[in-house]
Amino acid sequence: MNLKTFLLKVFDQKYFKIFLIFTVILLGSYLRILHILEKGGDYETYRNAVSQFLKGKNIYENTVKSYIKGDEESHGYAYFPTLLYLYSPFYMLSKKIDISFNVLYKIPVFIADLATGLLIFSILFKKEKNFYIGLLGLVFWLFNPHLIVKNTYVLTEPLGIFFMLLALRYLGDDDIKSGIFYALSFSFKSFSLVLFPLFLLKSKNKFKYLIFCLLIFLVISIPFMHSYKDFLYYLEGSFLVHGSRGAQGRPLLGYLSYQIYKSKYYVLITQPLKYISLISGTVISFFLYFKRKISDKYIMSATALFFLFTLSPVFTKTYLLWLFPSYSIGLYEYLLSYKNKYGNGNRIYVLYFLLLLFFWGFYGYYLKIWDTNFAFSEDGINF
């Protein structure tokens, strides 16, 4: 038996594959646990919001007032209350045992993070029963640049991303599950809003899908329905205040326009860009669907999210994580359509790896230069 035959036989062994999965998950978990005591800038916002919520106060009143004052650096909790419901038991537990809430509130994020990676693996594996393609998707997610390059693990994105991916998984197969998971994803962070037209398009029973989306919204809104005033504060503080945000973070288009054209006037078009970023991806993905006959839901979702984050004037360090699952799955689906053309699938697999690596490298590079003096003012962009 020559070396090549021996290696192929080893790589195809069931227990070797289990060992690889276990090793990747264990290492990914270890790198996250290293940051278990780390506090992020939003920690106090979450802690105060949970504390005030448990006291029966409407936290969104202060949120709305902070935005009215233009105090965007220290505004209140500005998301739907799903995070509060999730974090409240951990906050109460931290008061009873000698473990900080800062540690406990990372537990659901950690679980959702690992679950997202395993879901990516599962979806990719089912495409062609190719274990190593699924493993590559898992590695791509678990060792993302936000963790490796930025060397931090302060985020809540995996919660919303996990439910968004579950919603996509069931889209077109089970409208009830798809509607429930989509609404839950939206309730953690509202990026999935840009995918709403796609979900309507691909749902078999659109009425059933919408009913279950609405049902989840009503359930999570119950504590804020005591009065008309409370409900208005809730709607404005959890969602509508984001419409008043100016350019924040390191918007991709703003950075590129300055580097390539030395243009300082990106700031002048940030308001229309907020709306263009929401609709452009949907328009283009629908064009692919109706004109190019590209109907894969992961390709269409990756397209919508790509244009959202490319054009959005609000762009933080974790935003591109939302693109990871759709990109890794949609890219593979797109490349598979060319498999018959190339005959041997090895070229497809190599190209898939290189394109994943390119995206990883770009995101890592952008995070690496994140702390470069890059600011917005009335005069435009300044470095």
Side-chain angles (χ1 to χ4, degrees), residues 95-341:
K95 297 296 184 181
K96 296 182 179 296
I97 62 177
D98 191 25
I99 300 179
S100 169
F101 175 62
N102 178 50
V103 173
L104 295 177
Y105 94 118
K106 291 187 176 75
I107 293 175
V109 175
F110 175 77
I111 294 172
D113 206 355
L114 295 186
T116 300
L118 291 173
L119 188 55
I120 292 172
F121 170 85
S122 174
I123 294 171
L124 284 171
F125 176 73
K126 287 180 180 178
K127 295 288 183 183
E128 280 195 320
K129 304 298 181 182
N130 189 319
F131 170 83
Y132 289 99
I133 288 295
L135 184 66
L136 186 58
L138 176 65
V139 170
F140 181 62
W141 171 258
L142 288 184
F143 301 96
N144 61 74
H146 187 261
L147 177 68
I148 303 301
V149 177
K150 205 61 185 174
N151 192 30
T152 183
Y153 193 63
V154 179
L155 73 172
T156 60
E157 268 67 21
L159 296 165
I161 294 172
F162 173 65
F163 285 109
M164 181 190 73
L165 188 55
L166 270 180
L168 282 169
R169 161 66 182 81
Y170 287 105
L171 177 60
D173 296 324
D174 190 322
D175 294 318
I176 294 176
K177 290 180 180 178
S178 179
I180 290 172
F181 292 139
Y182 175 85
L184 285 172
S185 174
F186 185 83
S187 72
F188 281 109
K189 282 197 177 176
S190 56
F191 292 126
S192 50
L193 174 65
V194 75
L195 301 181
F196 184 68
L198 169 62
F199 276 81
L200 276 183
L201 176 70
K202 303 285 284 185
S203 294
K204 291 181 178 179
N205 188 324
K206 295 171 177 49
F207 178 75
K208 185 185 294 185
Y209 166 77
L210 289 172
I211 284 296
F212 278 89
C213 282
L214 181 60
L215 180 63
I216 294 298
F217 171 74
L218 291 175
V219 169
I220 67 173
S221 303
I222 289 173
F224 302 93
M225 292 181 171
H226 295 301
S227 69
Y228 179 71
K229 183 178 180 181
D230 272 349
F231 190 66
L232 285 182
Y233 273 132
Y234 161 63
L235 286 181
E236 188 171 357
S238 61
F239 183 65
L240 298 179
V241 291
H242 296 285
S244 64
R245 296 170 73 179
Q248 288 182 333
R250 305 289 187 271
L252 280 168
L253 191 61
Y255 180 79
L256 293 174
S257 68
Y258 186 86
Q259 292 289 3
I260 298 173
Y261 301 108
K262 301 303 177 186
S263 170
K264 298 179 66 175
Y265 302 106
Y266 167 81
V267 69
L268 300 178
I269 60 171
T270 55
Q271 286 301 317
L273 273 178
K274 283 194 293 190
Y275 305 104
I276 294 173
S277 66
L278 285 174
I279 64 173
S280 59
T282 296
V283 170
I284 293 171
S285 61
F286 274 43
F287 171 79
L288 295 176
Y289 181 83
F290 289 108
K291 295 294 184 181
R292 300 294 181 183
K293 306 303 179 183
I294 297 176
S295 59
D296 181 75
K297 55 192 175 184
Y298 298 106
I299 296 176
M300 294 178 71
S301 65
T303 301
L305 289 168
F306 171 80
F307 281 94
L308 170 68
F309 295 131
T310 301
L311 300 176
S312 175
V314 179
F315 189 90
T316 70
K317 300 171 188 177
T318 57
Y319 276 19
L320 280 182
L321 289 176
W322 285 82
L323 184 54
F324 264 57
S326 294
Y327 178 79
S328 60
I329 299 168
L331 173 64
Y332 186 57
E333 183 68 32
Y334 181 74
L335 292 176
L336 279 181
S337 65
Y338 288 92
K339 188 174 181 180
N340 292 334
K341 177 180 178 180

Side-chain angles (χ1 to χ4, degrees), residues 46-59 84-95 101 224:
Y46 293 140
R47 189 185 65 80
N48 290 332
V50 172
S51 175
Q52 295 301 307
F53 172 70
L54 290 174
K55 292 177 182 177
K57 297 182 180 180
N58 188 337
I59 58 170
L84 301 182
Y85 306 149
L86 185 63
Y87 287 159
S88 290
F90 294 98
Y91 181 82
M92 292 186 288
L93 183 62
S94 71
K95 297 296 184 181
F101 175 62
F224 302 93

Side-chain angles (χ1 to χ4, degrees), residues 62-82:
N62 289 331
T63 300
V64 172
K65 290 178 180 177
S66 70
Y67 273 92
I68 291 174
K69 293 177 182 177
D71 188 12
E72 294 188 355
E73 293 299 320
S74 59
H75 60 67
Y77 181 86
Y79 308 105
F80 285 100
T82 316

